[in-house]
Amino acid sequence: MIRGCLCVFLCLSLHNSCHRPPLMIRSTMAQGIPPGQSSKSDKVDPYRIGSRFISKQARIFPQALKEIQGGRKSSHWMWYIIPTPPYAPGGVERGSGTNREWALRDLPPNDLKGNDAARAFLYYPEEGGVNLRKNYYEIITAVGDQLEQGNDPVSLMGYLDDPKLRSSVRLFEFVTREDAEMEDVHAACLRVLTLLKEDVMPPAASKSKAAPAGKVVEGKEEEQGTEEALEKEAGATVDGGVSSALAEKMEELRVEAGRKGKEL
């Protein structure tokens, strides 16, 4: 009798297991997601904006903003709050492991640039009460306020994060230049770049993005109005929006940081 019951139980268990999808597939089906896809698939968020920045900013942004408004960055949050493109002077990536993980990086073959990723960052939908565009605008505005009051950028950000600030603001100024929906972000970035005495492309040059080849802009030829020509005109390299002067400064700081055992 017992042996017969065990046989029936085993047969029923085998039948059910053969007609039920694996646990992972059952989980995604319960969420209304087709098998083989995830709720945050690469197609939805190819630059991993949400998975990298949302939870960090939810915890850290209020403190970061408070520090800047107080006149001095005193804790570690730069990568998550004021992100940068990959640090790749001369087309060779040289950033630390942390820098590489958090950089705003475009998809291959443009993975040493950050233009598309920066746009995705600004347009990422609000999630969990975190609005990345709003947060970036607020903290860059706060940086501008401090600089306008005479606070030295190195005293404000620290000698390691001063070049990151410049790189980030240059990137976001560039990608918002022709975007009417991002005028406030562009104005905030332009203000900071001006206060930092960074070279900025004249307005006439930025508006000639689609200009025909050979058009002269401020005494220099624009090469078919391409994005690369605009970056060159703005004093940035095509591998991440870092000007040659800024790259040299970052390299000097990297050498100094290496002596002190810190990451840049």
Side-chain angles (χ1 to χ4, degrees):
M1 178 68 179
I2 294 175
R3 182 178 297 174
C5 290
L6 287 174
C7 290
V8 172
F9 175 76
L10 290 173
C11 289
L12 288 173
S13 298
L14 180 62
H15 174 79
N16 288 338
S17 65
C18 291
H19 287 80
R20 294 178 69 191
L23 179 60
M24 182 180 296
I25 295 180
R26 294 204 306 272
S27 175
T28 57
M29 288 173 64
Q31 300 175 48
I33 303 167
Q37 295 186 19
S38 64
S39 58
K40 287 292 182 184
S41 68
D42 288 343
K43 291 183 179 179
V44 175
D45 187 12
Y47 308 103
R48 299 190 299 121
I49 302 297
S51 62
R52 290 191 294 165
F53 294 101
I54 294 296
S55 62
K56 286 286 188 181
Q57 292 219 6
R59 292 188 293 106
I60 297 171
F61 181 78
Q63 177 63 28
L65 184 61
K66 182 179 179 181
E67 289 177 14
I68 294 300
Q69 290 174 335
R72 181 174 177 269
K73 176 182 177 291
S74 56
S75 60
H76 302 289
W77 46 257
M78 191 69 176
W79 288 296
Y80 328 124
I81 308 299
I82 305 180
T84 67
Y87 175 57
V92 179
E93 189 161 11
R94 298 182 182 177
S96 65
T98 308
N99 185 289
R100 295 179 190 218
E101 167 61 22
W102 290 95
L104 291 173
R105 185 185 306 277
D106 290 352
L107 301 179
N110 298 317
D111 48 337
L112 294 183
K113 297 176 64 175
N115 299 342
D116 294 336
R119 293 184 185 102
F121 179 92
L122 292 175
Y123 277 99
Y124 194 83
E126 184 170 327
E127 182 177 315
V130 175
N131 186 314
L132 297 176
R133 172 219 173 137
K134 177 175 176 289
N135 287 357
Y136 190 81
Y137 170 77
E138 285 187 1
I139 200 150
I140 294 304
T141 297
V143 168
D145 291 343
Q146 289 295 320
L147 296 176
E148 215 163 56
Q149 293 167 25
N151 198 343
D152 178 76
V154 174
S155 298
L156 177 65
M157 305 302 301
Y159 79 96
L160 289 178
D161 288 337
D162 170 45
K164 293 192 189 81
L165 170 67
R166 295 168 190 266
S167 178
S168 178
V169 175
R170 181 177 290 281
L171 172 66
F172 281 99
E173 186 277 327
F174 179 77
V175 302
T176 58
R177 193 174 288 170
E178 302 290 327
D179 191 340
E181 294 186 28
M182 295 289 172
E183 287 183 352
D184 55 343
V185 176
H186 181 259
C189 291
L190 192 60
R191 175 192 180 206
V192 168
L193 284 173
T194 302
L195 290 166
L196 290 171
K197 296 181 173 58
E198 288 282 318
D199 293 334
V200 180
M201 179 189 292
S206 68
K207 291 180 180 178
S208 61
K209 186 172 183 178
K215 180 174 180 179
V216 176
V217 179
E218 296 295 322
K220 297 182 181 179
E221 279 196 351
E222 181 175 293
E223 302 170 4
Q224 300 183 18
T226 62
E227 189 168 271
E228 288 81 4
L230 287 171
E231 289 178 347
K232 182 179 179 181
E233 193 73 32
T237 65
V238 296
D239 46 52
V242 180
S243 69
S244 57
L246 179 55
E248 290 174 6
K249 181 175 182 179
M250 291 180 75
E251 189 61 31
E252 290 174 3
L253 290 174
R254 181 175 304 284
V255 172
E256 180 65 22
R259 296 194 187 110
K260 297 181 179 181
K262 295 183 179 181
E263 272 192 329
L264 181 59

